[in-house]
Amino acid sequence: MRGKRGIPLFILLFLQPSGAWADFSDALSFSDNAFLRDSQLDLRLRNHWKYLKENEAQPTAVHNAWGQAASLNFRSGYQWDWLGFDATYTRAIRLGASDYFATRGLLYDSGGHQQKADAHGFSKFGERYLKVKLGDVNAGFKGKAGWQELKNIGVLTTSDRLSRNSYSGYSGALNVQKIRLDLAYVTKTLRHDSPESLALQTQDRRKINAIYTGALSYTGDRGRLAYAFGEAEAYQRRHVIEANYSLSPNWRLSSQIYGSQGLENYKSMAASKRSFDNHAWHYVGEADWINDRWTQKFAAAWTSAPKHNAVGYYVRPLTKNTRGRFNALTSAGKDYTRDKELALVSQTEFEISKGIFSGFQINYGQFNYRNTRIRSGEVALINRFIEPHPVLKDLSVFTLFGYGWSYKNNKETPVFNAQGKYMRSPSLSAEIAVEYKLNLFR
């Protein structure tokens, strides 16, 4: 059903006086139709600003983007207890931008050249899919067909900017008690900062027909173990192992292993397009300590990504315009994933008052290149606010301000000066995200 000039009826009702909306909401709430009775519509408002000033690969440049987004998220109930439909619509607007804005992943780059004039907002249906379910929480199956977000499904995941990236294809999850099997097949992608659906591509822009991926996981009373496998057809094959275990109420240990193998279409690319030659592996170990209002994280990571006559690195995306499943603790403004690089991370957080958290993260990385030890790092102040009042319980604020130091490079490979020394490159980073969610009906 639609209202005047093609405006959906539910939006017109939302704009009507509260009495009309209440009558409509009550009618839905007491409906005998499970598709309507169990449906919900949420409004998500997000204001996001990201800033980076650095001179690693060019003269000093500012990467700045600021936008506001509103998303309507509809989740239906199940007709006949097995068939439903979900959809998410997002409208994002530009509030500010500089050249190089596109690296922040917030605004649409209409010209593809990262120039300030090309920064725009966008509108899109990021999700629109049919869903089915069989069984129950103890033993059952849920499947989706259409455009959908894939949060840690196989080797794929989604990002959170003004909108989220999504994929066109099929996915399903089979659970039996504490064991879960996830499967997905995707053929197209939709970036988080763009309204355009894109074919899967290699780094040199050759088409990839599909990505096949799956994961098997076990969740116990004190821990979880998951193995994921995926392949971008004839391009890259990827493995992921994630594990965590609670030693006590205060201590938790975690570990992740990520591996990528280049296939024929990857190996045939020019060396300048490859991030590693044949294989890349990234290993992470973490320890978390929680005591009253204090949280302390320690992490160490090591990367193996050999590349002839250059510094290779483990790359997060499986293909262009996709988002790979990857633990981001070892990054604040920069990922530490270069060949033979050791990364150390410390993150401290204190709950100052109920719902107000403040802390800092220290990142340090080092690797050797041409008999020289290359060092990089970052110190970042991080603050979080989660409103504890029931009326505003879905309001959250996140801020990050950091100072970093890295090195002049050409695609991660250090550039040396006339004296044979690598050149340091300082950076300043900042981020503010304010989000509020409102349930319009349930």
Side-chain angles (χ1 to χ4, degrees):
M1 296 183 293
R2 300 184 68 86
K4 296 180 180 179
R5 299 183 183 178
I7 300 176
L9 178 58
F10 69 79
I11 295 180
L12 287 177
L13 288 168
F14 178 64
L15 297 175
Q16 296 300 312
S18 58
W21 172 252
D23 293 342
F24 179 66
S25 179
D26 289 344
L28 288 177
S29 300
F30 292 101
S31 171
D32 291 332
N33 188 315
F35 183 90
L36 296 176
R37 184 185 65 242
D38 298 332
S39 292
Q40 63 184 66
L41 178 66
D42 297 322
L43 174 65
R44 174 182 183 251
L45 301 174
R46 186 173 179 88
N47 189 290
H48 205 156
W49 172 65
K50 288 177 72 69
Y51 172 93
L52 175 65
K53 182 178 181 180
E54 54 83 31
N55 63 356
E56 287 187 12
Q58 70 282 311
T60 300
V62 170
H63 311 238
N64 179 60
W66 183 25
Q68 171 69 52
S71 297
L72 284 171
N73 185 11
F74 174 75
R75 296 289 182 261
S76 79
Y78 286 92
Q79 184 70 25
W80 309 299
D81 200 34
W82 69 273
L83 179 64
F85 173 79
D86 294 352
T88 300
Y89 172 79
T90 299
R91 176 71 177 103
I93 61 174
R94 163 186 163 165
L95 298 179
S98 69
D99 289 345
Y100 302 102
F101 71 92
T103 64
R104 304 302 88 196
L106 294 179
L107 302 173
Y108 176 49
D109 185 3
S110 61
H113 304 297
Q114 300 198 47
Q115 296 179 351
K116 178 180 179 180
D118 293 331
H120 298 285
F122 54 88
S123 300
K124 66 177 182 179
F125 279 94
E127 289 191 296
R128 48 192 189 280
Y129 59 83
L130 290 174
K131 60 183 181 181
V132 297
K133 72 166 185 173
L134 302 170
D136 54 30
V137 294
N138 293 317
F141 171 81
K142 290 186 176 181
K144 300 176 183 179
W147 283 96
Q148 57 195 281
E149 298 170 6
L150 295 174
K151 181 67 173 178
N152 291 338
I153 301 299
V155 299
L156 296 176
T157 192
T158 188
S159 56
D160 202 3
R161 297 290 192 269
L162 291 178
S163 72
R164 300 185 176 107
N165 62 300
S166 53
Y167 307 88
S168 176
Y170 306 89
S171 69
L174 175 66
N175 71 282
V176 179
Q177 298 296 329
K178 298 180 179 181
I179 299 175
R180 174 178 169 128
L181 174 65
D182 290 298
L183 296 171
Y185 169 86
V186 301
T187 56
K188 291 184 179 180
T189 179
L190 191 61
R191 288 174 54 93
H192 49 254
D193 56 0
S194 170
E196 299 181 5
S197 63
L198 302 169
L200 302 172
Q201 293 181 331
T202 65
Q203 195 61 32
D204 59 355
R205 299 186 181 279
R206 285 181 289 172
K207 183 180 178 181
I208 298 171
N209 291 324
I211 293 176
Y212 314 86
T213 188
L216 184 65
S217 62
Y218 171 81
T219 303
D221 295 334
R222 300 182 65 177
R224 184 175 183 272
L225 176 64
Y227 167 72
F229 171 85
E231 180 178 318
E233 192 173 89
Y235 181 60
Q236 274 199 77
R237 186 173 294 143
R238 184 161 289 186
H239 305 269
V240 174
I241 299 174
E242 296 178 347
N244 64 70
Y245 184 75
S246 295
L247 293 175
S248 69
N250 301 106
W251 283 96
R252 185 182 66 178
L253 300 179
S254 305
S255 181
Q256 302 90 39
I257 300 175
Y258 306 94
S260 286
Q261 175 188 357
L263 304 179
E264 53 264 36
N265 287 344
Y266 179 89
K267 294 177 181 179
S268 66
M269 291 193 304
S272 61
K273 296 294 184 181
R274 299 196 304 266
S275 54
F276 55 88
D277 285 335
N278 297 305
H279 300 270
W281 292 90
H282 183 67
Y283 309 90
V284 182
E286 301 176 32
D288 292 44
W289 175 75
I290 302 172
N291 186 21
D292 296 327
R293 293 185 291 174
W294 285 97
T295 300
Q296 176 66 54
K297 295 176 180 285
F298 300 100
W302 171 262
T303 301
S304 173
K307 186 175 182 181
H308 183 64
N309 288 332
V311 174
Y313 52 97
Y314 185 96
V315 63
R316 183 195 301 264
L318 181 60
T319 71
K320 283 184 69 67
N321 303 313
T322 61
R323 190 77 169 175
R325 183 172 181 169
F326 189 78
N327 186 330
L329 178 62
T330 54
S331 67
K334 184 72 174 179
D335 288 337
Y336 295 91
T337 58
R338 291 167 284 250
D339 183 41
K340 295 181 175 59
E341 180 163 25
L342 171 66
L344 301 175
V345 180
S346 173
Q347 186 182 84
T348 305
E349 186 178 75
F350 178 69
E351 187 176 11
I352 299 172
S353 182
K354 187 173 179 60
I356 301 176
F357 303 84
S358 185
F360 58 89
Q361 179 169 308
I362 302 174
N363 294 29
Y364 172 78
Q366 68 174 42
F367 65 98
N368 292 326
Y369 182 70
R370 292 185 180 176
N371 299 318
T372 301
R373 179 163 294 178
I374 312 295
R375 294 182 174 90
S376 56
E378 185 173 31
V379 178
L381 174 65
I382 300 174
N383 296 287
R384 295 188 300 122
F385 170 73
I386 303 173
E387 173 55 52
H389 194 280
V391 176
L392 296 176
K393 63 181 177 65
D394 291 317
L395 172 66
S396 64
V397 180
F398 170 84
T399 68
L400 179 149
F401 299 93
Y403 170 77
W405 59 96
S406 187
Y407 58 95
K408 290 279 193 177
N409 69 78
N410 180 14
K411 296 184 178 179
E412 302 298 328
T413 300
V415 174
F416 291 82
N417 61 20
Q419 290 73 41
K421 295 183 179 180
Y422 80 95
M423 296 174 283
R424 288 172 62 91
S425 172
S427 65
L428 291 173
S429 60
E431 180 177 359
I432 300 176
V434 181
E435 182 171 298
Y436 180 61
K437 296 178 182 178
L438 175 66
N439 174 248
L440 300 183
F441 73 73
R442 177 174 292 152

